[in-house]
Coordinates of all heavy atoms in Angstrom, one line a residue:
E284 N 21.7 36.5 -78.6 CA 20.3 36.9 -78.6 C 20.3 38.4 -79.0 O 21.2 39.1 -78.9 CB 19.7 36.9 -77.2 CG 19.6 35.4 -76.7 CD 18.9 35.4 -75.3 OE1 18.1 36.3 -75.0 OE2 19.3 34.5 -74.5
T285 N 19.1 38.8 -79.6 CA 19.0 40.1 -80.1 C 17.7 40.7 -79.6 O 16.8 40.0 -79.0 CB 18.9 40.2 -81.6 OG1 17.7 39.5 -82.1 CG2 20.1 39.5 -82.3
T286 N 17.5 42.0 -79.8 CA 16.3 42.6 -79.5 C 15.2 42.2 -80.5 O 15.6 41.9 -81.7 CB 16.4 44.2 -79.5 OG1 15.1 44.7 -79.3 CG2 17.0 44.7 -80.7
D287 N 14.0 42.3 -80.2 CA 13.0 41.9 -81.2 C 12.8 42.9 -82.3 O 12.1 42.7 -83.3 CB 11.6 41.6 -80.5 CG 11.1 42.8 -79.7 OD1 11.8 43.8 -79.5 OD2 9.9 42.7 -79.3
K288 N 13.5 44.1 -82.2 CA 13.4 45.1 -83.1 C 14.6 45.2 -84.1 O 14.7 46.1 -84.9 CB 13.2 46.5 -82.4 CG 11.9 46.5 -81.6 CD 11.8 47.8 -80.9 CE 10.5 48.0 -80.1 NZ 10.0 46.8 -79.5
I289 N 15.5 44.2 -84.0 CA 16.7 44.2 -84.7 C 16.5 44.3 -86.2 O 17.2 45.1 -86.9 CB 17.6 43.0 -84.4 CG1 19.0 43.2 -84.9 CG2 17.1 41.7 -84.9 CD1 19.9 44.1 -84.0
D290 N 15.6 43.6 -86.8 CA 15.3 43.6 -88.2 C 14.7 44.9 -88.6 O 14.9 45.4 -89.7 CB 14.5 42.4 -88.7 CG 15.3 41.2 -88.9 OD1 16.5 41.3 -89.2 OD2 14.8 40.1 -88.6
K291 N 13.9 45.5 -87.8 CA 13.3 46.8 -88.1 C 14.3 47.9 -88.1 O 14.3 48.8 -88.9 CB 12.2 47.1 -87.1 CG 11.0 46.2 -87.2 CD 9.9 46.5 -86.1 CE 8.8 45.5 -86.2 NZ 8.0 45.4 -85.0
I292 N 15.3 47.8 -87.2 CA 16.4 48.8 -87.1 C 17.4 48.6 -88.2 O 17.7 49.6 -88.9 CB 17.1 48.7 -85.8 CG1 16.1 48.9 -84.6 CG2 18.3 49.6 -85.7 CD1 16.7 48.6 -83.2
F293 N 17.8 47.4 -88.5 CA 18.9 47.2 -89.4 C 18.6 46.5 -90.7 O 19.4 46.5 -91.6 CB 20.1 46.4 -88.8 CG 20.7 47.2 -87.6 CD1 20.4 46.7 -86.3 CD2 21.4 48.3 -87.8 CE1 21.0 47.4 -85.2 CE2 22.0 49.0 -86.7 CZ 21.7 48.5 -85.4
Q294 N 17.4 46.0 -90.9 CA 17.1 45.2 -92.1 C 18.1 44.1 -92.4 O 18.5 43.9 -93.5 CB 16.8 46.1 -93.3 CG 15.7 47.1 -93.2 CD 16.1 48.3 -92.4 OE1 17.1 48.9 -92.6 NE2 15.2 48.8 -91.5
G295 N 18.6 43.5 -91.4 CA 19.6 42.4 -91.6 C 20.9 42.8 -90.8 O 21.3 43.9 -90.8
V296 N 21.4 41.8 -90.1 CA 22.6 41.9 -89.3 C 23.7 41.0 -89.8 O 23.4 39.8 -90.1 CB 22.4 41.7 -87.8 CG1 23.6 41.8 -87.0 CG2 21.3 42.6 -87.3
A297 N 24.9 41.4 -89.9 CA 26.0 40.6 -90.4 C 27.1 40.4 -89.3 O 27.3 41.3 -88.5 CB 26.7 41.2 -91.6
L298 N 27.7 39.3 -89.3 CA 28.7 38.9 -88.3 C 30.0 38.8 -89.1 O 30.1 38.1 -90.1 CB 28.4 37.6 -87.6 CG 29.5 37.0 -86.8 CD1 29.8 37.9 -85.5 CD2 29.2 35.6 -86.4
T299 N 31.0 39.6 -88.6 CA 32.4 39.5 -89.2 C 33.3 38.9 -88.1 O 33.3 39.4 -87.0 CB 32.9 40.9 -89.6 OG1 32.0 41.5 -90.6 CG2 34.3 40.8 -90.2
L300 N 34.0 37.8 -88.5 CA 35.0 37.2 -87.6 C 36.4 37.3 -88.2 O 36.5 37.0 -89.4 CB 34.6 35.7 -87.3 CG 33.3 35.5 -86.6 CD1 33.0 34.0 -86.5 CD2 33.4 36.0 -85.2
M301 N 37.3 37.7 -87.4 CA 38.7 37.9 -87.8 C 39.6 37.2 -86.9 O 39.3 37.1 -85.7 CB 39.1 39.3 -87.9 CG 38.3 40.1 -88.9 SD 38.5 41.9 -88.7 CE 37.3 42.2 -87.3
I302 N 40.8 36.7 -87.4 CA 41.8 36.2 -86.5 C 42.9 37.2 -86.5 O 43.4 37.7 -87.6 CB 42.4 34.8 -87.1 CG1 41.2 33.8 -87.1 CG2 43.6 34.4 -86.3 CD1 41.6 32.5 -87.7
T303 N 43.4 37.6 -85.3 CA 44.5 38.5 -85.2 C 45.6 37.8 -84.3 O 45.3 36.9 -83.6 CB 44.1 39.8 -84.5 OG1 43.7 39.5 -83.1 CG2 43.1 40.5 -85.2
E304 N 46.8 38.3 -84.5 CA 48.0 37.7 -83.8 C 48.8 38.8 -83.2 O 49.0 39.8 -83.8 CB 48.8 36.8 -84.6 CG 49.9 36.1 -83.9 CD 50.7 35.1 -84.7 OE1 50.4 34.9 -85.9 OE2 51.6 34.4 -84.1
D305 N 49.2 38.7 -81.9 CA 50.1 39.6 -81.3 C 51.5 39.1 -81.3 O 51.8 37.9 -81.5 CB 49.7 39.8 -79.8 CG 48.4 40.6 -79.6 OD1 48.1 41.4 -80.6 OD2 47.8 40.5 -78.6
S306 N 52.5 40.0 -81.1 CA 53.9 39.7 -80.9 C 54.5 39.0 -82.2 O 55.2 38.0 -82.0 CB 54.1 38.9 -79.7 OG 53.7 39.6 -78.5
V307 N 54.1 39.5 -83.3 CA 54.6 38.9 -84.6 C 55.9 39.7 -84.9 O 55.8 41.0 -85.2 CB 53.6 39.0 -85.7 CG1 54.2 38.5 -87.0 CG2 52.4 38.2 -85.4
K308 N 57.0 39.1 -84.9 CA 58.3 39.8 -85.2 C 58.5 39.8 -86.8 O 58.5 38.8 -87.4 CB 59.4 39.0 -84.6 CG 60.8 39.7 -84.7 CD 61.8 38.9 -83.9 CE 63.2 39.5 -84.0 NZ 64.2 38.8 -83.3
A309 N 58.5 41.1 -87.3 CA 58.7 41.3 -88.7 C 59.2 42.7 -89.0 O 59.1 43.6 -88.1 CB 57.3 41.1 -89.4
P310 N 59.9 42.9 -90.1 CA 60.4 44.2 -90.4 C 59.3 45.3 -90.4 O 58.2 45.1 -90.8 CB 61.0 44.1 -91.8 CG 61.3 42.6 -92.0 CD 60.2 41.9 -91.2
Q311 N 59.7 46.5 -90.0 CA 58.8 47.6 -90.0 C 59.6 48.9 -90.3 O 60.7 49.1 -89.7 CB 58.1 47.8 -88.6 CG 57.3 49.1 -88.4 CD 56.0 49.0 -89.2 OE1 55.4 48.0 -89.3 NE2 55.6 50.2 -89.7
M312 N 59.2 49.7 -91.2 CA 59.8 51.0 -91.5 C 59.5 51.9 -90.3 O 58.3 52.1 -90.0 CB 59.3 51.6 -92.8 CG 59.9 52.9 -93.2 SD 61.7 52.9 -93.5 CE 61.8 52.1 -95.1
T313 N 60.5 52.5 -89.7 CA 60.2 53.5 -88.6 C 60.9 54.8 -89.0 O 61.8 54.9 -89.8 CB 60.8 53.0 -87.3 OG1 62.2 52.7 -87.5 CG2 60.2 51.7 -86.9

Side-chain angles (χ1 to χ4, degrees):
E284 292 182 34
T285 66
T286 173
D287 58 350
K288 297 178 180 35
I289 195 81
D290 279 329
K291 292 176 185 163
I292 297 169
F293 297 109
Q294 296 84 43
V296 178
L298 171 68
T299 302
L300 294 174
M301 298 166 278
I302 298 175
T303 63
E304 186 174 3
D305 286 337
S306 302
V307 177
K308 189 176 177 180
Q311 171 73 36
M312 178 66 73
T313 59

